[in-house]
Amino acid sequence: MLENRFPNIKVIESGVKQLKSKEHCVLTEDGNQHIYKKLCLCAGAKPKLICEGNPYVLGIRDTDSAQEFQKQLTKAKRIMIIGNGGIALELVYEIEGCEVIWVIKDKAIGNTFFDAGAAEFLTSKLIDEKPEAKIAQKRTRYTTEGRKKETQARANAGNVGSALGPDWHEGLDLKGTKEFSHKIHIETMCEVKKIYLQEEFRISEKKSLTFPRDHHDQSVTTDKEIWPVYVELTNEKIYGCDFIVSATGVTPNTEPFLCGNNFDVGEDGGLKVDDHMHTSLPDIYAAGDICTAAWHPSPVWQQMRLWTQARQMGWYAAKCMAAASVGESIDMDFSFELFAHVTKFFNYKVVLLGKYNAQGLGSNHELLLRCTKGQEYIKAVLQNGRMMGAVLIGETDLEETFENLILNQMNLSAYGEDLLDPNIDIEDYFD
């Protein structure tokens, strides 16, 4: 499609075997070599699976694995989800007709995105019957089409497809075998200790638990059902299920590029890039999940391995490469001034701005909160009277106002609690 639209683009479908940075050359698995003037590495990240090679453990990262998950779910009565990030949060809410045991290592759900207060606000939504009307998303949608047969062949070859993006579950029918909407049990503060296949579990003579009915009924009952796979948790509980979804984050996909090349690598395993997306090697740039931002960032921006941020980085890296090739200088892109992420959890609009979780601010900050159960949750993070971040859940219409207050660093000390007073139209006031 791109080749048809842009005659100057050539697309090569092949894996990378080796990068020879000194020779400015990339070797591909189809046996060819490609000489470059400038190279940008955008190989993303791969899922950190809790256990490699187990047929009952699914990772969800790309379009292929999401389709495989949907196929497995149609036959499932109970699944277990491990992880507390974006994909886990979306899955837990979207799945219907299947018991879900959700295992998180933290005290509260979604702690990469919000604090315990926001988690509490959202958790109540899990118990409700799901509303029919989905909130509309106003953004460019990326979909895959006409590639089903080819996709299956590639999925089997163990190749990684394209990353999912924020609307990944829109086209999937996430329904299990049962006739109810939600049935979710959350196990907090624990991780997976051991995974047993059916036969191993039988030999171990251990007992697994039934799906907990409610939090008040503490009677422990042994599960009579035989499951394909069993999971022992670090809190000593054992549950059987049809399969396990491993949604425990990602690691930068640097493997094919490191051998024989002396890249500076960040603590998180990504290729370090400067404020022009340039790696430590000449003429090689990187963008998205594969890279680690090694410049001195704006006080209200941080890197997060998110689809939206990867797209901004790729766009900016292209501008930097084009400018460098004609010897021009270029300013840092505006999208790195302020961290901003818009998503949807549990059918609520969620906007995260700046240091929304007071990241790196130490104890020297204060929080302003406003919460209307079932409707909205607003949190502003202030330091020395200036807004440093915010979490907005629901239709608050405050994102532009808060974005401006964070960017212009106006001193808000005089307003105190009134800043979030629902009777004051703050948007109009600061217009």
Side-chain angles (χ1 to χ4, degrees):
M1 191 186 85
L2 279 174
E3 282 183 342
N4 290 340
R5 279 174 61 193
F6 305 103
N8 60 329
I9 289 180
K10 183 166 191 269
V11 176
I12 296 143
E13 282 201 63
S14 179
V16 171
K17 202 156 101 183
Q18 198 190 350
L19 163 64
K20 295 184 168 180
S21 58
K22 289 188 179 68
E23 291 92 337
H24 277 52
C25 168
V26 174
L27 305 180
T28 47
E29 284 169 358
D30 57 13
N32 290 324
Q33 59 172 349
H34 308 276
I35 303 293
Y36 63 84
K37 276 188 186 170
K38 293 200 181 307
L39 172 69
C40 189
L41 302 176
C42 302
K46 46 183 190 238
K48 280 188 232 168
L49 283 186
I50 47 169
C51 159
E52 294 285 348
N54 187 319
Y56 296 103
V57 177
L58 290 184
I60 296 185
R61 182 210 163 269
D62 53 23
T63 40
D64 304 355
S65 55
Q67 278 164 352
E68 176 59 26
F69 166 71
Q70 179 184 352
K71 201 170 86 190
Q72 300 272 9
L73 185 63
T74 55
K75 309 187 287 266
K77 288 182 284 192
R78 183 194 296 167
I79 67 166
M80 187 178 271
I81 295 175
I82 318 287
N84 200 9
I87 284 185
L89 280 163
E90 291 176 318
L91 264 188
V92 163
Y93 182 72
E94 293 297 330
I95 288 169
E96 296 186 4
C98 180
E99 294 176 348
V100 176
I101 294 170
W102 185 12
V103 177
I104 61 174
K105 65 179 193 299
D106 314 291
K107 274 190 181 137
I109 66 167
N111 77 328
T112 37
F113 295 100
F114 27 70
D115 58 10
E120 184 62 35
F121 172 81
L122 285 172
T123 307
S124 61
K125 190 75 173 255
L126 274 185
I127 303 143
D128 298 347
E129 280 296 301
K130 230 193 301 184
E132 284 311 308
K134 293 270 177 85
I135 62 163
Q137 288 288 22
K138 299 176 193 154
R139 66 163 152 242
T140 314
R141 291 272 296 279
Y142 291 82
T143 56
T144 54
E145 54 183 57
R147 299 186 52 130
K148 296 281 187 288
K149 289 190 179 69
E150 191 188 330
T151 300
Q152 289 330 107
R154 271 200 15 250
N156 299 344
N159 288 342
V160 183
S162 63
L164 286 166
D167 305 303
W168 66 276
H169 50 71
E170 292 286 329
L172 298 179
D173 180 24
L174 298 182
K175 207 154 173 24
T177 56
K178 304 280 187 78
E179 281 305 312
F180 51 75
S181 177
H182 280 142
K183 217 175 205 187
I184 293 151
H185 172 68
I186 306 174
E187 288 285 350
T188 58
M189 308 279 287
C190 65
E191 294 179 65
V192 173
K193 184 172 168 186
K194 193 167 178 356
I195 296 173
Y196 300 88
L197 297 178
Q198 200 178 82
E199 187 56 20
E200 289 176 308
F201 188 72
R202 197 181 62 76
I203 293 165
S204 76
E205 294 188 350
K206 295 192 172 191
K207 299 275 185 278
S208 69
L209 301 171
T210 52
F211 191 87
R213 279 185 172 65
D214 58 41
H215 295 298
H216 310 299
D217 178 17
Q218 293 300 331
S219 59
V220 177
T221 49
T222 304
D223 200 350
K224 300 282 188 287
E225 179 125 17
I226 309 280
W227 297 96
V229 64
Y230 291 84
V231 183
E232 185 174 1
L233 302 174
T234 49
N235 63 7
E236 306 302 322
K237 292 181 182 177
I238 300 177
Y239 291 103
C241 56
D242 287 302
F243 65 92
I244 303 153
V245 177
S246 176
T248 43
V250 294
T251 48
N253 192 19
T254 54
E255 205 178 347
F257 311 109
L258 293 181
C259 183
N261 300 303
N262 194 19
F263 280 107
D264 282 353
V265 177
E267 280 177 26
D268 57 10
L271 305 176
K272 281 188 178 180
V273 290
D274 65 14
D275 57 1
H276 284 69
M277 308 310 288
H278 203 272
T279 67
S280 56
L281 297 183
D283 297 320
I284 299 181
Y285 296 73
D289 286 4
I290 194 174
C291 78
T292 299
W295 66 85
H296 192 64
S298 139
V300 286
W301 184 86
Q302 65 267 339
Q303 183 180 5
M304 256 181 108
R305 287 188 162 79
L306 296 164
W307 194 84
T308 43
Q309 201 175 79
R311 192 163 168 265
Q312 289 166 345
M313 284 180 165
W315 192 78
Y316 175 56
K319 284 174 70 177
C320 290
M321 291 167 80
S325 62
V326 293
E328 287 177 5
S329 65
I330 183 172
D331 288 334
M332 184 106 206
D333 191 80
F334 182 71
S335 55
F336 301 103
E337 279 294 304
L338 169 73
F339 175 86
H341 183 53
V342 181
T343 186
K344 185 178 82 169
F345 290 133
F346 303 3
N347 210 32
Y348 284 111
K349 179 178 174 182
V350 177
V351 180
L352 307 173
L353 296 171
K355 301 290 183 184
Y356 61 89
N357 246 351
Q359 296 96 323
L361 299 184
S363 55
N364 175 26
H365 68 272
E366 58 175 322
L367 304 178
L368 292 179
L369 289 176
R370 177 170 116 204
C371 178
T372 312
K373 196 171 190 294
Q375 197 177 335
E376 61 175 16
Y377 179 93
I378 299 164
K379 176 180 83 170
V381 180
L382 281 83
Q383 188 175 47
N384 303 326
R386 288 166 172 81
M387 197 180 291
M388 298 297 286
V391 174
L392 305 169
I393 303 177
E395 294 296 333
T396 64
D397 286 333
L398 289 171
E399 51 267 41
E400 276 188 42
T401 307
F402 279 21
E403 186 174 27
N404 290 330
L405 289 175
I406 296 169
L407 282 170
N408 65 28
Q409 288 293 287
M410 176 182 172
N411 192 331
L412 303 168
S413 307
Y415 304 99
E417 296 282 321
D418 289 343
L419 200 60
L420 295 189
D421 186 332
N423 301 313
I424 296 172
D425 188 351
I426 173 181
E427 189 186 4
D428 194 41
Y429 181 84
F430 285 113
D431 198 10

